[in-house]
Amino acid sequence: MTAITLVQGDITRVSADAIVNAANSSLLGGGGVDGAIHRRGGPAILADCRKLRASHYGKGLPTGKAVATTAGELDARWVIHTVGPRYSLDEDRSELLASCYRESLRVADELGARTVAFPAVSAGIYGWPMDDAARIAVETVRATETAVEEVSFVLFDEKAYEAFAGQLG
Ligand code: AR6
C-alpha cells in the first residue's frame, strides 16, 4: 500500500524520486509552484519541456495528463508535469483534477519512481477551493493502484496543510 505523508513547505526543497509540477498546457513555465520549480531546477527542465513541445506535444499537454522531464538541479530524478483544470462554478471538473493524480502516478510507475511529491494541484492560481482539492487529491491517491511506495503532499502554507490533514484524519 502507498503511504501518504504531509509536509508543510516548499516542494523545490524536498527530496523525492519524482516531484510533480502544477504546470499549464504550454509546458513553458508560469507562476506559482511552476515558476519555483523552473527557477530552482534550472534551464535543463525548460529545455526538456521545449523538446516535448517540438515532438509529442505540439499542441501542449492536455488538462488532466502528465509527462516527465529531468529534474535539473532539484533533489529528484524527474519532474512530472501535470496540468490541473481551472476551477469552474458552472462545470464540475473534478474528474480532470483526479486524473492529474492518477496520470502522474502512472508516469511515476513507468519511470520506476518509488517516492513522489505532489503540490496541491489547481488550488492556487487555478482557484480550486483548498478543502475540495485536498479531498480529491487524497481520495484519488488512495484509490489508485501504483508501485509508488510513498506519496508526500507538500503544502505551501498552514491552511493547505490543515486541509490535507483533515482528509487523512
Ligand atoms: N511549493 C509547494 N507548494 C507551492 C509552491 C512551492 N514552492 N508555490 C506555490 N505552491 P499554483 P495551480 C502552492 O498556483 O493552481 C502557474 O502559473 C500554492 O500555494 O502553483 O495548479 C502554472 O503555470 C497552491 O496551494 O498552481 C499554471 O498556469 C498550490 O501550490 C497555473 O499556475 C498550487 O498553486 C497553475 O495553477
Side-chain angles (χ1 to χ4, degrees), residues 1 14 18-19 31-32 34 37 43 54 76-77 94 132 139 147 159 163 169:
M1 218 180 81
V14 308
I19 292 175
D34 193 9
I37 282 175
R77 293 177 69 185
S94 304
D132 200 49
E139 281 181 8
K159 184 172 161 276

Side-chain angles (χ1 to χ4, degrees), residues 67-107:
V67 69
T69 65
T70 177
E73 288 159 38
L74 297 177
D75 191 8
R77 293 177 69 185
W78 304 282
V79 169
I80 297 174
H81 306 261
T82 191
V83 182
R86 288 175 195 274
Y87 185 70
S88 164
L89 288 170
D90 305 327
E91 191 184 21
D92 181 6
R93 299 177 179 167
S94 304
E95 192 44 45
L96 283 169
L97 184 53
S99 173
C100 289
Y101 291 94
R102 269 197 302 271
E103 288 291 304
S104 295
L105 290 172
R106 191 181 59 72
V107 170

Side-chain angles (χ1 to χ4, degrees), residues 18-80:
I19 292 175
V20 176
N21 181 21
N24 61 63
S25 286
S26 81
L27 291 175
L28 300 178
V33 74
D34 193 9
I37 282 175
H38 281 281
R39 261 194 313 278
R40 188 163 291 276
I45 299 175
L46 187 59
D48 264 11
C49 287
R50 288 193 197 284
K51 282 184 204 152
L52 288 168
R53 287 299 307 274
S55 55
H56 284 72
Y57 296 98
K59 291 182 181 158
L61 182 67
T63 304
K65 302 288 192 219
V67 69
T69 65
T70 177
E73 288 159 38
L74 297 177
D75 191 8
R77 293 177 69 185
W78 304 282
V79 169
I80 297 174

